[in-house]
Amino acid sequence: CLALCEDGAVLSWGGGGWGRLGNGNTEDCPQPQRISHIPPIVYISAGFTHNLALDIDSNLHSWGRNDNGQLGLGDNLDRYRPTRLPDNQAPYSEIGTPIALACGNRFTVIISNGGQVW
């Protein structure tokens, strides 16, 4: 589970498989804990085994399972901590400003301020 706090902090708890809790390991956590090493967040989406967050500067961060490239980082390596997506290379340089995002079972969708869906 993920929760977004008023101050932009993100809390996670539950099953830790594939690093989906963003705390640097794959251990389960029965109580909410703050995810460290991430800037203030304004929007989050929790998928089945991966997550995505949008920070106050419109940067995207992803973590968790990545077997189908759903983290958008150009590889298939799981991430145990939030990792900023490379906004200076295609297709991210073409997205514009992300305004909404969604994570599914093994996919991610981003909507830009120009109405484009990625």
Side-chain angles (χ1 to χ4, degrees), residues 12-15 21 27-33:
S12 67
W13 66 98
L21 296 181
E27 296 177 14
D28 297 346
C29 182
Q31 297 180 346
Q33 63 179 354

Side-chain angles (χ1 to χ4, degrees), residues 42-83:
V42 297
Y43 197 108
I44 57 174
S45 180
F48 184 62
T49 57
H50 75 291
N51 304 296
L52 200 67
L54 181 65
D55 73 24
I56 60 172
D57 294 320
S58 299
N59 297 306
L60 295 167
H61 305 263
S62 60
W63 64 98
R65 190 173 189 178
N66 195 32
D67 58 330
N68 291 348
Q70 60 266 42
L71 297 184
L73 296 167
D75 59 36
N76 291 66
L77 302 173
D78 298 343
R79 298 301 197 287
Y80 299 163
R81 293 197 181 278
T83 303

